[in-house]
Amino acid sequence: MRILVADDEPASAEALKDLLEIIGHQVVGPACDGAEAVRLARCEHPDLAILDIDMPRLSGLDAIDQITRSRPIPVIVLTAHCDAEFVDRAAELPVFNYLTKPAGADRIVPAIRMATARFREWSALNGRVSELSQKMDERKTIERAKGILMEVRGINEGDAYRLIQRESQQRSRSMIDVARSVVAAQGVFRRPAAPAPNAPPATMPVPPNLTAPVEPAA
């Protein structure tokens, strides 16, 4: 595993680097401050990061925030600070283990395994949440498209749904793609304002593919 190390204390950084290499990992760094840690994370794409908190230029916690926003990875905090404010701040970030110095192989090895396992669970949960959010957004778009078609065509909700469904089948496009097209063109679909007295009747421009009659429900 390629592990990013960041610690502004050279002796501590080198000791951790040596330990990680002894137990079979490849070390990225060590970085001597938070800004360098962010740069290395973006350039070297490590599999995991172990960062101190109190570092110059950019704190370890701010570095973790930037690193994980750009590319989420398992993160372990290894620090001499165990104050509540540091722990609470770390808890707000995707930090998967929090260790206090000094930490030998008996603590580092299980911390790496635990952080990796927790990161997998976190990633899976985030993926499910994102998928659910996307489905809800798509459902809202389809509902909006149905509303537009109901207003424009003077049809009921079921017919509006079947119209979107038919268009999807005929054009080999997903229903959400068709719905987005309807929503995007809503300015064209909307009924025009009432004409002035004695004005010629206006024709509402409706795309040809949505002018065909709706097949009645079976």
Side-chain angles (χ1 to χ4, degrees):
M1 183 179 290
R2 302 178 71 248
I3 299 179
L4 169 64
V5 170
D7 194 324
D8 64 324
E9 298 177 7
S12 178
E14 286 301 321
L16 179 58
K17 178 177 182 293
D18 292 344
L19 172 59
L20 291 171
E21 290 176 343
I22 287 171
I23 60 180
H25 298 293
Q26 180 182 346
V27 173
V28 176
C32 61
D33 58 57
E36 178 69 5
V38 172
R39 188 190 69 80
L40 286 174
R42 289 174 177 170
C43 296
E44 300 295 334
H45 303 291
D47 304 308
L48 182 143
I50 303 177
L51 286 83
D52 191 7
I53 286 180
D54 190 11
M55 294 189 290
R57 296 179 63 195
L58 188 70
S59 76
L61 294 176
D62 288 334
I64 290 168
D65 188 29
Q66 292 189 26
I67 289 169
T68 54
R69 284 179 185 274
S70 175
R71 176 177 167 267
I73 58 173
V75 175
I76 298 172
V77 166
L78 177 59
T79 181
H81 299 284
C82 57
D83 299 3
E85 71 171 289
F86 291 113
V87 176
D88 290 346
R89 173 79 195 285
E92 296 173 355
L93 299 169
V95 170
F96 298 94
N97 219 312
Y98 192 107
L99 300 177
T100 53
K101 297 178 181 178
D106 59 327
R107 297 176 65 204
I108 291 292
V109 171
I112 291 173
R113 293 179 62 185
M114 184 67 71
T116 302
R118 287 176 174 171
F119 175 76
R120 290 197 188 106
E121 293 174 359
W122 176 82
S123 297
L125 177 60
N126 268 11
R128 288 195 292 271
V129 170
S130 297
E131 182 181 356
L132 178 60
S133 177
Q134 180 181 349
K135 287 182 178 179
M136 290 178 65
D137 288 343
E138 290 179 354
R139 183 172 180 177
K140 288 178 182 177
T141 300
I142 290 174
E143 290 297 318
R144 188 176 174 190
K146 286 194 301 183
I148 293 170
L149 292 175
M150 288 165 65
E151 177 185 347
V152 171
R153 297 289 304 274
I155 56 180
N156 62 35
E157 183 178 359
D159 286 343
Y161 182 85
R162 284 188 289 276
L163 190 58
I164 295 172
Q165 189 177 51
R166 186 187 64 192
E167 178 73 4
S168 168
Q169 294 168 348
Q170 289 180 347
R171 293 183 175 269
S172 299
R173 297 173 62 193
S174 66
M175 288 186 66
I176 183 60
D177 283 344
V178 174
R180 286 175 182 145
S181 296
V182 172
V183 172
Q186 63 180 308
V188 175
F189 288 138
R190 292 297 186 190
R191 293 184 185 277
N198 303 321
T203 302
M204 181 174 58
V206 178
N209 56 311
L210 292 176
T211 57
V214 181
E215 296 176 2

